[in-house]
Amino acid sequence: MQRMHVLLTNDDGIESTGLRVLYDALDDIGEVTVVAPADDQSAVGRTLSNRVTVEEHELGYAVAGTPADCVVVGVGSLCPDVDLVVSGCNQGANLGEYVLGRSGTVSAAVEATFFDVPAIAVSLYIPGGDIDFREYAARESEYDEAVRATTHLVDNATGNGVFDHADYLNVNAPIPARSTGERAAMETTHPSTVYEMDAVRDGSTITLSDHIWQRMDEGNVLDPEGTDRRAVVEGRVSVSPLTAPHTTEHHDTLDTVCAAYRDGE
């Protein structure tokens, strides 16, 4: 039986711990080609370049570009025969509808779907409290649940129809429970719609704030059952089956508006 060929990328950069631990795990179950940014490209969304430089790396290829660049370069040129794209593991969760378009990790998975290649985006939820996740460097062992979840999905969600109904999976995993040592449960979820961004003006400066993270730190989660954020905050692995943007719904009202355009109505 032919081994699955996986293109592995991320947005934290090719030297990140999260990418290395996924590489080591996936290399045991398939052929892995890394095509990842040469440096940190967090939160760049689906930004695409016209031209990038590529250098060989011990894991594959380092690209002076974005995660979306890496997928286009990988699937379009360096390894066009891949069966699956895995993006991650990101240090920091990617939760909620409003985050999906900003995330470089998720955007790499989205880019893969336009090549008709299924994809899995994987992120690690780091609880707040006394930890500043922007400064925190997760240890290899803290990725264990994310690694187990990824290998489980690669083994069990490919080739059995899962990707007939979803273009990609957005996976968020908690840090393993240190007190019990028990594995987390895995739950099918949908992205939360809770949104708490605001902008406060002080003279010529406007500060943009996302209050979701503060609520998560306090354990005051407004998200209902079944959402990605609720699941991961409560210690479960969240798996959201998603389709690539942009879905459309035909409706007669817009037909009427369009028909009236030519007549100037």
Side-chain angles (χ1 to χ4, degrees):
M1 182 176 178
Q2 187 173 359
R3 281 159 54 94
M4 176 178 291
H5 188 181
V6 177
L7 167 59
L8 178 61
T9 190
N10 72 345
D11 74 355
D12 288 335
I14 198 167
E15 300 294 344
S16 73
T17 301
L19 183 136
R20 170 64 78 167
V21 294
L22 279 188
Y23 175 85
D24 290 342
L26 295 174
D27 190 50
D28 288 337
I29 60 176
E31 178 186 353
V32 182
T33 301
V34 172
V35 185
D39 53 19
D40 189 358
Q41 295 287 322
S42 297
V44 298
R46 288 186 60 220
T47 301
L48 199 67
S49 307
N50 290 324
R51 181 179 288 110
V52 297
T53 57
V54 178
E55 294 186 2
E56 291 191 5
H57 185 278
E58 61 172 326
L59 300 180
Y61 302 93
V63 178
T66 68
D69 290 335
C70 291
V71 172
V72 176
V73 166
V75 180
S77 178
L78 298 176
C79 46
D81 62 339
V82 294
D83 303 299
L84 177 73
V85 169
V86 175
S87 180
C89 179
N90 190 65
Q91 180 174 288
N94 282 299
L95 301 162
E97 284 186 348
Y98 73 106
V99 169
L100 298 180
R102 301 176 186 171
S103 165
T105 302
V106 175
S107 293
V110 171
E111 200 68 39
T113 70
F114 292 106
F115 286 94
D116 292 325
V117 177
I120 302 173
V122 190
S123 302
L124 176 69
Y125 167 58
I126 300 172
D130 297 330
I131 296 175
D132 183 346
F133 76 93
R134 291 163 296 190
E135 302 293 334
Y136 187 70
R139 298 182 293 275
E140 286 190 18
S141 60
E142 293 180 306
Y143 287 96
D144 284 353
E145 198 72 67
V147 170
R148 282 194 294 266
T150 305
T151 54
H152 175 79
L153 291 169
V154 170
D155 277 339
N156 294 281
T158 54
N160 64 358
V162 167
F163 288 104
D164 292 341
H165 303 281
D167 292 330
Y168 70 102
L169 306 178
N170 185 39
V171 179
N172 285 272
I175 289 176
R178 299 184 183 89
S179 57
T180 64
E182 293 183 358
R183 293 180 62 166
M186 179 178 282
E187 179 182 340
T188 303
T189 60
H190 59 271
S192 174
T193 59
V194 176
Y195 180 76
E196 292 205 350
M197 291 289 302
D198 66 16
V200 177
R201 181 174 183 176
D202 182 8
S204 61
T205 302
I206 299 179
T207 301
L208 288 70
S209 301
D210 182 355
H211 299 287
I212 290 293
W213 293 105
Q214 181 180 348
R215 286 190 176 276
M216 292 173 72
D217 290 349
E218 296 169 349
N220 181 19
V221 181
L222 301 177
D223 312 88
E225 294 292 333
T227 59
D228 51 4
R229 190 176 293 116
R230 169 68 68 174
V232 76
V233 168
E234 293 182 349
R236 299 183 294 279
V237 177
S238 164
V239 181
S240 294
L242 301 172
T243 57
H246 302 276
T247 58
T248 60
E249 181 179 346
H250 188 91
H251 52 91
D252 295 338
T253 304
L254 184 57
D255 283 347
T256 302
V257 172
C258 292
Y261 172 73
R262 188 172 186 179
D263 298 327
E265 297 179 14

